[in-house]
Amino acid sequence: MADWRLDERMHAGDEHLDPDYVARYERKAGFDPADDIDVLHRHGLTGDTVVVDMGAGTGVFTAAVAPLCHKVIAVDISPMMIAALRSRVERDGLGNVSVVEAGFLSYDHDTEPADIVYTRNALHQLPDFWKAIALQRLFAMLRPGGILRVRDLVFDFEPGDADSSIEAWFSGAVTDPAVGFTAEELATHVRTEFSTYSWLLEPILERVGFTVLDCHYERSAYGTYTCVRRAA
Ligand SMILES: C[S@@+](CC[C@H](N)C(=O)[O-])C[C@H]1O[C@@H](n2cnc3c(N)ncnc32)[C@H](O)[C@@H]1O
Protein backbone atom coordinates (compact mmCIF):
# COMPACT_ATOMS: atom_id res chain seq x y z
CA MET A 1 0.00 0.00 0.00
CA ALA A 2 1.20 3.53 -0.69
CA ASP A 3 2.65 5.15 2.42
CA TRP A 4 0.09 7.63 3.78
CA ARG A 5 1.61 8.11 7.23
CA LEU A 6 2.80 11.51 8.39
CA ASP A 7 6.53 12.04 8.87
CA GLU A 8 6.38 13.37 12.43
CA ARG A 9 9.97 14.51 12.51
CA MET A 10 9.43 16.64 9.42
CA HIS A 11 6.51 18.25 11.26
CA ALA A 12 8.33 18.60 14.58
CA GLY A 13 8.97 22.31 14.04
CA ASP A 14 12.37 23.29 12.59
CA GLU A 15 13.31 25.09 15.79
CA HIS A 16 12.91 21.90 17.84
CA LEU A 17 15.52 20.24 15.64
CA ASP A 18 17.98 23.11 16.10
CA PRO A 19 20.50 22.47 18.94
CA ASP A 20 20.97 26.22 19.57
CA TYR A 21 17.24 26.77 19.95
CA VAL A 22 16.98 23.71 22.20
CA ALA A 23 19.77 25.07 24.42
CA ARG A 24 17.86 28.37 24.80
CA TYR A 25 14.38 26.84 24.95
CA GLU A 26 13.76 26.74 28.70
CA ARG A 27 14.64 30.37 29.32
CA LYS A 28 12.49 31.38 26.38
CA ALA A 29 9.51 29.22 27.35
CA GLY A 30 9.62 30.18 31.05
CA PHE A 31 7.40 27.22 31.86
CA ASP A 32 6.47 26.52 35.48
CA PRO A 33 4.64 23.18 35.82
CA ALA A 34 3.42 23.85 39.42
CA ASP A 35 -0.24 24.41 38.40
CA ASP A 36 -0.28 21.22 36.35
CA ILE A 37 1.13 19.24 39.25
CA ASP A 38 -1.53 20.74 41.60
CA VAL A 39 -4.34 19.78 39.24
CA LEU A 40 -2.93 16.29 38.74
CA HIS A 41 -2.66 15.81 42.52
CA ARG A 42 -6.36 16.63 42.72
CA HIS A 43 -6.98 14.01 40.05
CA GLY A 44 -5.15 11.19 41.77
CA LEU A 45 -1.39 11.69 41.19
CA THR A 46 0.35 9.50 43.82
CA GLY A 47 3.58 7.59 44.29
CA ASP A 48 1.99 4.69 42.33
CA THR A 49 1.09 6.68 39.24
CA VAL A 50 2.46 5.93 35.77
CA VAL A 51 2.78 9.10 33.67
CA VAL A 52 3.41 9.57 29.95
CA ASP A 53 4.77 13.02 28.99
CA MET A 54 4.19 13.27 25.23
CA GLY A 55 6.27 15.87 23.40
CA ALA A 56 8.29 16.24 26.59
CA GLY A 57 10.88 18.60 25.13
CA THR A 58 13.74 19.25 27.54
CA GLY A 59 11.73 17.62 30.34
CA VAL A 60 10.57 20.45 32.60
CA PHE A 61 7.29 18.70 33.43
CA THR A 62 8.95 15.26 33.51
CA ALA A 63 11.51 16.43 36.08
CA ALA A 64 8.79 18.02 38.23
CA VAL A 65 6.49 14.98 38.26
CA ALA A 66 9.13 12.21 38.48
CA PRO A 67 9.79 12.52 42.25
CA LEU A 68 6.02 12.40 42.89
CA CYS A 69 5.08 9.28 40.93
CA HIS A 70 6.09 5.69 40.20
CA LYS A 71 7.34 6.11 36.66
CA VAL A 72 7.47 8.64 33.83
CA ILE A 73 7.80 7.79 30.16
CA ALA A 74 9.03 10.94 28.45
CA VAL A 75 8.50 10.84 24.69
CA ASP A 76 9.67 13.28 22.03
CA ILE A 77 10.21 13.12 18.28
CA SER A 78 13.22 15.48 18.15
CA PRO A 79 16.65 13.86 18.63
CA MET A 80 17.95 17.24 19.88
CA MET A 81 15.24 17.53 22.52
CA ILE A 82 15.80 13.87 23.44
CA ALA A 83 19.52 14.56 23.99
CA ALA A 84 18.69 17.48 26.32
CA LEU A 85 16.08 15.37 28.12
CA ARG A 86 18.52 12.50 28.63
CA SER A 87 21.14 14.88 30.07
CA ARG A 88 18.60 16.30 32.49
CA VAL A 89 17.49 12.81 33.59
CA GLU A 90 21.11 11.83 34.19
CA ARG A 91 22.07 15.10 35.87
CA ASP A 92 19.07 14.97 38.22
CA GLY A 93 19.41 11.22 38.87
CA LEU A 94 15.80 10.57 37.82
CA GLY A 95 15.94 6.77 37.97
CA ASN A 96 12.21 6.32 37.30
CA VAL A 97 12.19 8.15 33.94
CA SER A 98 12.37 6.32 30.61
CA VAL A 99 13.19 8.51 27.62
CA VAL A 100 11.77 7.42 24.26
CA GLU A 101 12.47 9.00 20.88
CA ALA A 102 9.08 8.70 19.16
CA GLY A 103 5.97 10.72 18.51
CA PHE A 104 2.21 10.90 19.05
CA LEU A 105 1.70 8.71 15.99
CA SER A 106 4.60 6.31 16.42
CA TYR A 107 5.16 5.75 20.17
CA ASP A 108 4.39 2.15 21.08
CA HIS A 109 3.10 1.98 24.66
CA ASP A 110 3.92 -1.67 25.38
CA THR A 111 3.92 -1.49 29.19
CA GLU A 112 1.17 -1.14 31.81
CA PRO A 113 -1.59 1.35 31.00
CA ALA A 114 -0.78 4.90 32.04
CA ASP A 115 -2.71 6.64 34.81
CA ILE A 116 -1.91 10.11 33.44
CA VAL A 117 -0.94 11.38 30.01
CA TYR A 118 0.35 14.93 29.84
CA THR A 119 1.15 16.94 26.75
CA ARG A 120 2.05 20.61 26.46
CA ASN A 121 2.51 22.71 23.33
CA ALA A 122 3.21 19.77 21.04
CA LEU A 123 -0.16 18.70 19.61
CA HIS A 124 -0.38 21.76 17.35
CA GLN A 125 2.46 20.31 15.27
CA LEU A 126 -0.12 17.95 13.77
CA PRO A 127 -2.94 18.86 11.34
CA ASP A 128 -6.42 18.07 12.67
CA PHE A 129 -6.79 14.72 10.88
CA TRP A 130 -3.64 13.55 12.67
CA LYS A 131 -4.50 15.32 15.92
CA ALA A 132 -7.60 13.15 16.24
CA ILE A 133 -5.55 10.00 15.62
CA ALA A 134 -2.94 11.22 18.11
CA LEU A 135 -5.62 11.79 20.76
CA GLN A 136 -7.13 8.37 20.06
CA ARG A 137 -3.66 6.89 20.61
CA LEU A 138 -3.32 8.77 23.93
CA PHE A 139 -6.74 7.32 24.88
CA ALA A 140 -5.42 3.81 24.14
CA MET A 141 -2.37 4.34 26.42
CA LEU A 142 -4.52 5.23 29.43
CA ARG A 143 -6.44 2.96 31.76
CA PRO A 144 -10.18 3.63 31.97
CA GLY A 145 -10.57 6.50 34.44
CA GLY A 146 -7.07 7.76 33.61
CA ILE A 147 -6.44 11.48 33.17
CA LEU A 148 -5.33 13.37 30.08
CA ARG A 149 -4.03 16.89 30.61
CA VAL A 150 -3.52 18.84 27.38
CA ARG A 151 -2.12 22.36 27.12
CA ASP A 152 -1.66 23.95 23.74
CA LEU A 153 -2.05 26.95 21.51
CA VAL A 154 -5.76 26.75 20.66
CA PHE A 155 -7.84 29.52 19.09
CA ASP A 156 -10.88 30.35 21.16
CA PHE A 157 -12.70 32.70 18.78
CA GLU A 158 -14.94 32.67 15.72
CA PRO A 159 -13.35 32.75 12.22
CA GLY A 160 -14.93 36.16 11.62
CA ASP A 161 -13.03 37.52 14.64
CA ALA A 162 -9.65 36.17 13.51
CA ASP A 163 -8.15 39.57 12.62
CA SER A 164 -8.99 41.26 15.90
CA SER A 165 -8.27 38.19 18.06
CA ILE A 166 -4.89 37.50 16.48
CA GLU A 167 -3.97 41.19 16.68
CA ALA A 168 -4.91 41.28 20.38
CA TRP A 169 -2.82 38.15 20.99
CA PHE A 170 0.23 39.61 19.20
CA SER A 171 -0.05 42.85 21.18
CA GLY A 172 0.95 40.91 24.31
CA ALA A 173 4.06 39.40 22.67
CA VAL A 174 7.54 40.13 23.97
CA THR A 175 10.20 42.02 22.03
CA ASP A 176 13.17 40.01 23.37
CA PRO A 177 13.11 36.50 21.84
CA ALA A 178 15.39 35.20 24.61
CA VAL A 179 12.61 35.48 27.19
CA GLY A 180 9.44 34.73 25.27
CA PHE A 181 7.80 34.65 21.87
CA THR A 182 7.82 37.71 19.65
CA ALA A 183 4.96 38.79 17.37
CA GLU A 184 7.05 37.55 14.41
CA GLU A 185 7.34 34.12 15.99
CA LEU A 186 3.63 34.01 16.81
CA ALA A 187 2.87 34.98 13.20
CA THR A 188 5.06 32.12 11.96
CA HIS A 189 3.11 29.83 14.26
CA VAL A 190 -0.23 30.95 12.82
CA ARG A 191 0.99 30.66 9.22
CA THR A 192 2.84 27.37 9.39
CA GLU A 193 1.60 25.29 12.31
CA PHE A 194 -1.75 23.70 13.10
CA SER A 195 -3.39 25.28 16.11
CA THR A 196 -7.06 24.49 15.87
CA TYR A 197 -10.22 26.12 17.18
CA SER A 198 -11.46 25.38 20.70
CA TRP A 199 -14.85 24.46 19.26
CA LEU A 200 -13.22 21.77 17.10
CA LEU A 201 -10.79 20.39 19.65
CA GLU A 202 -13.36 19.91 22.42
CA PRO A 203 -15.59 17.59 20.31
CA ILE A 204 -12.54 15.69 19.04
CA LEU A 205 -11.55 14.94 22.65
CA GLU A 206 -15.08 13.73 23.38
CA ARG A 207 -15.27 11.78 20.13
CA VAL A 208 -12.17 9.67 20.81
CA GLY A 209 -13.42 8.72 24.26
CA PHE A 210 -12.60 11.43 26.77
CA THR A 211 -14.94 13.41 28.98
CA VAL A 212 -13.65 16.95 29.29
CA LEU A 213 -13.83 17.72 33.01
CA ASP A 214 -12.46 21.21 32.73
CA CYS A 215 -11.22 23.47 29.99
CA HIS A 216 -10.19 27.09 30.01
CA TYR A 217 -8.66 29.54 27.60
CA GLU A 218 -6.30 32.46 28.05
CA ARG A 219 -5.83 35.37 25.67
CA SER A 220 -8.05 33.49 23.15
CA ALA A 221 -4.96 31.52 22.13
CA TYR A 222 -4.03 29.07 24.90
CA GLY A 223 -6.19 26.13 25.94
CA THR A 224 -5.89 23.83 28.93
CA TYR A 225 -7.97 20.65 29.18
CA THR A 226 -8.32 18.12 31.95
CA CYS A 227 -10.07 15.02 30.66
CA VAL A 228 -10.94 11.58 31.96
CA ARG A 229 -10.77 8.49 29.77
CA ARG A 230 -14.15 6.83 29.53
CA ALA A 231 -14.36 3.02 29.44
CA ALA A 232 -13.80 1.72 25.90
C1 LIG B 1 7.20 23.74 22.31
S1 LIG B 1 8.00 22.24 22.68
C2 LIG B 1 7.20 21.82 24.24
C3 LIG B 1 8.06 20.95 25.10
C4 LIG B 1 7.50 20.65 26.48
N1 LIG B 1 6.25 19.91 26.40
C5 LIG B 1 7.29 21.94 27.26
O1 LIG B 1 6.14 22.33 27.44
O2 LIG B 1 8.29 22.55 27.65
C6 LIG B 1 7.22 21.10 21.57
C7 LIG B 1 7.83 19.72 21.61
O3 LIG B 1 7.02 18.83 20.85
C8 LIG B 1 7.88 17.95 20.16
N2 LIG B 1 7.13 17.38 19.05
C9 LIG B 1 6.83 17.93 17.86
N3 LIG B 1 6.10 17.08 17.11
C10 LIG B 1 5.94 15.95 17.86
C11 LIG B 1 5.29 14.72 17.63
N4 LIG B 1 4.64 14.45 16.50
N5 LIG B 1 5.32 13.80 18.62
C12 LIG B 1 5.96 14.06 19.79
N6 LIG B 1 6.62 15.21 20.04
C13 LIG B 1 6.59 16.14 19.10
C14 LIG B 1 9.04 18.83 19.75
O4 LIG B 1 10.17 18.09 19.40
C15 LIG B 1 9.22 19.66 21.01
O5 LIG B 1 10.09 19.05 21.91
Side-chain angles (χ1 to χ4, degrees):
M1 189 161 83
D3 185 8
W4 57 278
R5 300 276 167 189
L6 186 88
D7 182 334
E8 290 184 271
R9 199 182 291 177
M10 255 188 64
H11 282 79
D14 291 347
E15 70 279 24
H16 302 135
L17 302 170
D18 170 357
D20 290 338
Y21 183 93
V22 171
R24 290 181 275 109
Y25 172 73
E26 281 183 23
R27 179 156 181 252
K28 181 178 183 68
F31 166 41
D32 177 355
D35 287 353
D36 296 307
I37 299 286
D38 269 3
V39 169
L40 292 174
H41 266 137
R42 276 186 264 125
H43 286 282
L45 172 65
T46 70
D48 295 327
T49 300
V50 174
V51 177
V52 174
D53 183 5
M54 179 57 73
T58 57
V60 174
F61 174 77
T62 287
V65 79
L68 309 171
C69 70
H70 174 56
K71 175 162 133 183
V72 187
I73 305 163
V75 184
D76 203 282
I77 197 69
S78 156
M80 294 72 188
M81 287 290 188
I82 286 286
L85 188 49
R86 283 195 210 285
S87 315
R88 163 178 246 130
V89 166
E90 254 174 55
R91 187 193 68 213
D92 295 355
L94 302 173
N96 61 342
V97 175
S98 313
V99 175
V100 181
E101 186 179 325
F104 284 100
L105 305 173
S106 50
Y107 167 61
D108 181 18
H109 188 74
D110 60 357
T111 179
E112 72 255 61
D115 302 294
I116 291 175
V117 172
Y118 178 86
T119 185
R120 177 177 179 275
N121 291 2
L123 195 61
H124 66 255
Q125 299 295 152
L126 301 176
D128 281 2
F129 171 78
W130 295 106
K131 224 176 255 154
I133 293 174
L135 289 170
Q136 194 284 324
R137 296 185 92 253
L138 299 186
F139 171 92
M141 286 168 212
L142 277 162
R143 64 167 168 80
I147 296 294
L148 171 68
R149 175 115 169 138
V150 180
R151 297 182 59 179
D152 210 336
L153 288 86
V154 177
F155 296 138
D156 187 38
F157 50 76
E158 297 303 319
D161 296 330
D163 282 341
S164 56
S165 301
I166 296 279
E167 195 182 318
W169 180 36
F170 287 7
S171 70
V174 301
T175 49
D176 178 0
V179 294
F181 293 86
T182 64
E184 278 305 314
E185 289 171 313
L186 299 184
T188 303
H189 172 87
V190 177
R191 275 198 319 275
T192 66
E193 299 187 338
F194 302 101
S195 278
T196 194
Y197 288 107
S198 53
W199 41 269
L200 292 174
L201 190 54
E202 289 175 30
I204 295 174
L205 285 162
E206 294 279 346
R207 179 93 181 189
V208 301
F210 292 103
T211 297
V212 178
L213 300 174
D214 179 68
C215 62
H216 64 268
Y217 300 98
E218 288 166 51
R219 287 178 279 155
S220 299
Y222 300 93
T224 303
Y225 306 80
T226 307
C227 311
V228 61
R229 181 212 199 269
R230 297 194 296 269

